[in-house]
Amino acid sequence: MTDTMNTFEPAPLPATPPERISAWEYALAAVVLAACLLAGLALADTKAPAPAVGVLRFASEIDFASASRLIDMLEAARRDDGLAAVVLEVSSPGGFATSSESIFYALLSLREAKPLVVVVDGLAASGGYYMAAAGNRIYAPPSSYVGNVGTRGGRPSDPALAPDELSSGPYKLEGGSRFDQIHQLDLVRNSFLTNVVNQRTHAALNPLTLAPEELAEARIYLGSEAVALGIIDGEGGRPEGIKAAAELAGLTSYDIVDVPAYLGMEPIISGGEEMVASAQAMLAGAPPGTIFALDSRIPFPEAELPANLQHLRKPRAGADFTWRTGGAPAATFAGSLAPAASRP
Amino acid sequence: MKRSTFWILVAVAGLLLATGPMLWRYMEQQTPQAAYTPPTVPTAAVAATPIPTATPLAVAQASVATGEEVRRGPVVVDLAHYSAVERNRFQPLASALAEQGVDLRFWLPTVSLDNVTQFSDFPDQSETLQRELSGASALVVVSPYFLYSAKEVQVVEQFLADGGRLLIISDPDVESDAARDTNSLAAPLNIVFNEDYLYDTVDNDENYTYFFQGDFFDQAEALAGSRIAFYGGRSIDGAVIPQVRSASTTLSSLRTGQTGFTTGATGGVEAGGSLGRVLALSDFDVLTDPYVARHDNRRLLAFVAEFLAGGERNHSIADFPAALGKEVALVIDDSAPVGAQGLVKAAELQRVLELSGRQMRLGPTTWVSNSIAADGNDLIYVASYEAAERDTPLLADLGLSLVTEIVTPTASAPTATPAVESDSPAPAPATTPAETPATTPTPTMVPELPQTTPAPEIPPVTPGAADVTATATVVPVSRLAQAQAATPAPTETPSPAPEATPEPATGESTGTAEAAATATPAPDVTEPVAPPAPTPTEQVYLVREDGIRLLADETQLFVQRAIDDEHKILAVLGESEAAINAGLTRLLTRDLTGCLIQDELVICPYVPGTGETSTAAPAAAAQAPAGESATLPAKDGDPAPAGDDSSQAILIVDDNRNAAEGEIGEAELYAALLAAAGYQPTLWSTNDSGYPAVDKLQEYAWIIWSDAIYSNSGLRGQALQTVGDAINAGAKVTVSSRMPFFGVSAEPASPIVDVVIGSDVPELVEGISSEPIPLPAGLPDVVPLNSDPEPSTGARIAMRRGPASKAGEAPVLMVYSDENFDEPKGAKLMLFGMSIAWLPDDLAPKLVESMAAFMLAE
């Protein structure tokens, strides 16, 4: 025997060849990654859109309707996380004092949440400037008009008994004596003035340097004058306003959106070329005793002079002055008999 | 790399890519929001405390004005220049004046703005102003809309020179105000209101335009320390003495950089005698409620009232009875007894005097002849020149004397005027039957109409102011119609069509006189014959020492002389009773229009035979009998004056002022027809006497305004205004005109061929056939009346154009009333858009009688 037995040594396994990622797998992976990127970007746009600076244009006289719509829009803008800042572009002669105040407080509320920059587009007088005073910044072109801080109202009347009704108190019908009404005009003006002075004296960029008494004289200032007096913060238009808003919001990249469209609401633009006529229509339709924060250069609607007395109109102090029907002779019996052609 | 590892890596990378942008965006957005810090602005503290209601203070007790024996002249407030100030706003001033014993009255506007074609056309009212200021203490003018004319300024200047006072205010917040317009009165008195307004933002009464006054000077020095505010005021300049100045914090809207403005000042012109008699203020509100009750404003009100009441008028004759004391005696020339009419005039005098706090009694002529201060009375002496010269030194003191001369008039060439051939006596004016006829014929007398048969009796015309003498006779309407056919249509019509001259008709009139045709003379016109040789007559003159000669019978004098230091005599002198009557009427109505006025002598014109001068408006305040026929004194044999039934008084106004030469109107026809119906109308000729004043018209129950016959027929200008004012005052007026203005349509003029009665007013057309009534051919065109009047006019149609006429169915006779109007006054307007002379002879009397019954009905 041989002692060598035959021993089995397994044969060495053949070497496992390395896994190769095929080209199509790379391609597929690339497509998948690209798709994920796109999906990620889309997701980011949807769930975390880029911050936007919203531009909201208000070009109207301030009445109950326009104020209500603006306040709704401001409230929606305040709650919308996509809007990082708001630029309010104002072109308004003002209007009702109460509506102007409401807008002012709504803007203050917005300003608590996000930056608000006001840009004057030509005119922000009286109530229009009241709105502007709520902004972090106010910009206006040099030739625009701002200011006219004051109130207006019809001449008060004295209490009188109405022949067709009884009331429970002496001022139920008029709301107060003649001097009560005059005093209230001043009180509203004081609120307006105090709020404006308060906001502007605390302005970070260009605080107010004008004395309150001077501001109370209700002058209208050019944009260039207003900058010098601290009534506004700087000269400029919409681009400057957007830039300032973005800066205040700490944005380096952002979208610019039109707020009404962004929020799916109607823009607030009325009056336009016929701003004066539109404001006068507002005046004519205002409830009795309304106090206005309205551009003083917009005249109150005058009583119609009878046609047969138009030739007797005479100008007063350069303004068109109508000798009102109160002084005109009342209709007479003989007058009613006059030929039709000669009657008004 | 294992495949699985690869795919795990791809999955992880894919997840990162899918979520990374979103996470990154979230992280980025957090930062900006965290980067914004809203500004910290403290809440504004706005004081809004209402003014507490002041504790009411008792109103100061008004004191009774004592020590005033005679009622002082009132303060007159001018609203006639259309100041836009309500009368009730003068209440506080009226109260303050009442405490001074002076009352306040308003000169209300009478000018219709419809007739003012432009601002500068506002008519001069100097005559009215003169009347308003006679006897007045002061005048107040507040922000007049229209300018004061130069004549009005002169009246005011004279008033001031006589001692009157003026308060003139230009208030910038009064609607009618413009400083430059108020300056039309102020500037001649050295006062200039500036066009600015003053304001104070530092110290004001609730509004910046309600500024306080700072200093008080001169007469207002007593107000020093007072807190007086003006409620809308302006600055005053000129040669003035400042009384009130604004505070140092008060600024001007125009005069920048200045302060201490004059807001109250006295002014006037020394040379004109008005210095210190004008007070200018630049605010009216401070004198009115509720402003006057604030602070010390009442002290300013008292100051103003004291100023207005402080004048001492040098009362002239024109200020009757202001120049007289409390006790007045009426002394009448005793050459004739005082009759009933004389007593009436005396009663009127007494009433006027009593209204002013005076007492009147009758005194003997010895009081005058002896020049004695008769028992402490002032005297009113009424006498003829002859008696005055005989019994008193009045004329002699004035250097006047009566001179009688024999005058032989020059014979004048006879005219072709038809002469009256009637045997019936020509009706004479009732009041002056004994008057010496004038030596020259009055050129404005209506020519007498020819007659073939005796004319019916026409009652004597009762003369008012310059009435036309009643020479009217009944004329055939057809004759007049034919005569009228020669005349063109009224000028207002767009297409006047002059007609051919007609042939005079013959044989158409039955028992009535014929009219003279305007185009051709009537066939029976009397050929002029040489007049008889003129008879020398006496002519009395008032001759002054310097040679001035006045015709005594055309002059009427007022003489005022001092009897002694305290008493005076006011003489009313004339050549005749009629002249004296006219003078008394002027005195009672304070109408010295057309007179030469000096301090102690007033010379007024008087036209003999007319009763009164043309511009006198007799006894507007007195209850004179209709017809103004009162005499003082009446003489024996005078016919009784016209009846005193004012409810039936009819005035026919012959508006012949624009009539062509020789044209004869229809007024006399109306008069004759009314007389035949038993009425006693009064005739008035506008050509002779001008347009009657509204208060004159209001004395009559019915006024017929007639011009339908005349070629220039049409109510316009002053005639229109007069009629309109009368209607608005509640008069009952019939306008008989081819262009009555009222109620006309816009259609063109067209001829009326026939008429038919309407059904709206049956009482007016009673007894008239309902068939179409033809009118004579060839009548001039007439503007149709409006067939669709406003309901508020209460229009009713009594007669229309007939079917053969153009514009058929258009009204011809309409009646309006104001019963549906806001403030009815009982006015009635009857429009007769054609001439009564066009109607058939049997129809016109019926219609006129019905008109009278209708219009005079209660």
Side-chain angles (χ1 to χ4, degrees), chain A residues 158-344:
Chain A
D158 294 314
L161 289 180
D164 52 351
E165 66 171 284
L166 277 180
S167 60
S168 60
Y171 300 120
K172 176 65 181 170
L173 298 180
E174 282 86 10
S177 69
R178 175 186 290 259
F179 276 88
D180 286 340
Q181 297 168 55
I182 294 169
H183 184 57
Q184 285 167 0
L185 188 77
D186 256 16
L187 290 180
V188 175
R189 188 279 312 266
N190 290 348
S191 299
F192 182 4
L193 179 69
T194 305
N195 279 328
V196 164
V197 168
N198 196 41
Q199 294 298 323
R200 290 308 305 165
T201 50
H202 289 90
L205 199 62
N206 188 26
L208 185 71
T209 58
L210 195 63
E213 302 77 40
E214 279 194 75
L215 194 61
E217 288 185 353
R219 284 193 173 86
I220 290 183
Y221 302 92
L222 287 173
S224 49
E225 294 178 300
V227 168
L229 297 170
I231 294 173
I232 63 174
D233 291 295
E235 290 179 4
R238 186 187 291 185
E240 284 74 23
I242 293 171
K243 188 175 164 192
E247 200 178 292
L248 284 168
L251 300 175
T252 52
S253 67
Y254 49 89
D255 292 338
I256 301 171
V257 298
D258 176 61
V259 170
Y262 178 82
L263 296 173
M265 302 170 97
E266 287 296 319
I268 309 170
I269 298 174
S270 71
E273 294 295 320
E274 299 298 325
M275 182 73 78
V276 172
S278 185
Q280 286 199 304
M282 176 197 70
L283 283 168
T290 299
I291 296 176
F292 301 94
L294 179 69
D295 187 342
S296 304
R297 298 167 300 176
I298 294 177
F300 269 31
E302 292 174 335
E304 272 303 310
L305 199 63
N308 66 323
L309 296 179
Q310 288 284 345
H311 59 287
L312 296 178
R313 177 197 296 265
K314 63 176 177 180
R316 186 169 82 160
D320 219 13
F321 166 67
T322 307
W323 188 70
R324 298 185 187 232
T325 51
T332 62
F333 179 51
S336 68
L337 301 172
S342 74
R343 269 184 263 132

Side-chain angles (χ1 to χ4, degrees), chain A residues 25 312 314 321 324 343, chain B residues 3 114 145 175 181 790:
Chain A
E25 284 175 302
L312 296 178
K314 63 176 177 180
F321 166 67
R324 298 185 187 232
R343 269 184 263 132
Chain B
R3 185 173 276 110
D114 289 337
Y145 186 83
E175 288 185 67
D181 294 336
E790 289 185 17

